[in-house]
Amino acid sequence: MRQRSDARQNMVQAAKQLIRERGYHATAFSDVLKLSAAPRGSVYFHFPGGKTQLVIEAAEAHAYEQVGIIDSAAEGADSARALVERYVDMGRDGMVASGYARGCGIAPLVTEGAEGEAAEIGETGRRAFSEMTDRLAFHFVAFGVERTAARALATAVLAGVEGAMITSRALRSPGPYDSVRDGLVSHAVAVSPKDSGRGRG
């Protein structure tokens, strides 16, 4: 049973990596099998829903990972400003470490029209981005930002990081992350209480 579970998890992680690097349409089952070292017969055993099921689970895994990254960034921050800085810098450092090869595990499902092949894929993308935005907003509220402003800031952070990811990869430079961080930090400071740097108690 563990071998079966490991094979399934390895395929999900492989699909997530390939979608981040190549996109949705360029990710084939054959590539997932090669990267995950899973037996060919395991494809429809573990994913009877085919590629749709696999990419949905890969997107969900990416969202879960990102929520964990947001929580990690918040744990080491003492204000909304610090959370923004840490979260953007973590994305920047990850992009540089990947040699500018890493993209988003969810965006290709939206930008490549995957929803036209299966409505569930589009719903998964919307839910994943919503979960990430909700988590950022939750932490901003905990740092004293008013709820409506926290939601707007969270939306701006996620949109900014997604944009920086694309332009940084295209330019092969961390510069876009730095510019986005500066703008988002100014926004965070503007909507934060004056004593927000003292932390959450």
Side-chain angles (χ1 to χ4, degrees):
M1 181 61 70
R2 174 165 291 278
Q3 288 182 335
R4 290 179 177 177
S5 297
D6 287 348
R8 190 176 195 285
Q9 181 63 19
N10 289 342
M11 291 177 69
V12 169
Q13 292 301 314
K16 178 166 68 71
Q17 178 181 333
L18 290 170
I19 290 170
R20 295 187 76 176
E21 294 175 355
R22 304 179 182 182
Y24 168 71
H25 290 299
T27 296
F29 262 129
S30 58
D31 298 318
V32 172
L33 289 170
K34 182 177 180 180
L35 183 60
S36 65
R40 181 167 295 276
S42 66
V43 172
Y44 289 102
F45 176 82
H46 291 299
F47 303 98
K51 185 176 180 179
T52 295
Q53 181 183 355
L54 177 59
V55 299
I56 284 175
E57 294 195 23
E60 290 174 341
H62 178 79
Y64 180 83
E65 177 184 273
Q66 289 301 309
V67 167
I69 289 173
I70 290 168
D71 287 344
S72 178
E75 185 176 347
D78 63 358
S79 64
R81 170 182 180 157
L83 170 53
V84 169
E85 290 175 333
R86 287 176 59 82
Y87 183 59
V88 176
D89 285 347
M90 289 168 81
R92 176 189 189 277
D93 294 345
M95 177 61 76
V96 173
S98 75
Y100 300 96
R102 191 173 75 173
C104 177
I106 304 167
L109 276 61
V110 179
T111 60
E112 295 183 30
E115 183 174 11
E117 299 180 13
E120 305 96 309
I121 294 179
E123 179 56 34
T124 297
R126 285 187 288 274
R127 185 171 61 249
F129 280 126
S130 292
E131 289 173 355
M132 293 157 62
T133 303
D134 289 346
R135 199 63 179 171
L136 280 166
F138 167 81
H139 288 298
F140 289 141
V141 169
F143 284 125
V145 180
E146 186 271 329
R147 290 185 182 278
T148 300
R151 182 75 185 183
L153 176 58
T155 299
V157 169
L158 189 57
V161 168
E162 288 290 317
M165 185 181 302
I166 295 170
T167 50
S168 177
R169 187 173 178 179
L171 298 173
R172 299 187 66 80
S173 166
Y177 281 97
D178 298 333
S179 297
V180 163
R181 181 186 57 201
D182 291 345
L184 291 172
V185 163
S186 295
H187 186 175
V189 170
V191 299
S192 295
K194 293 181 179 180
D195 62 349
S196 63
R198 295 186 302 183
R200 293 180 280 189

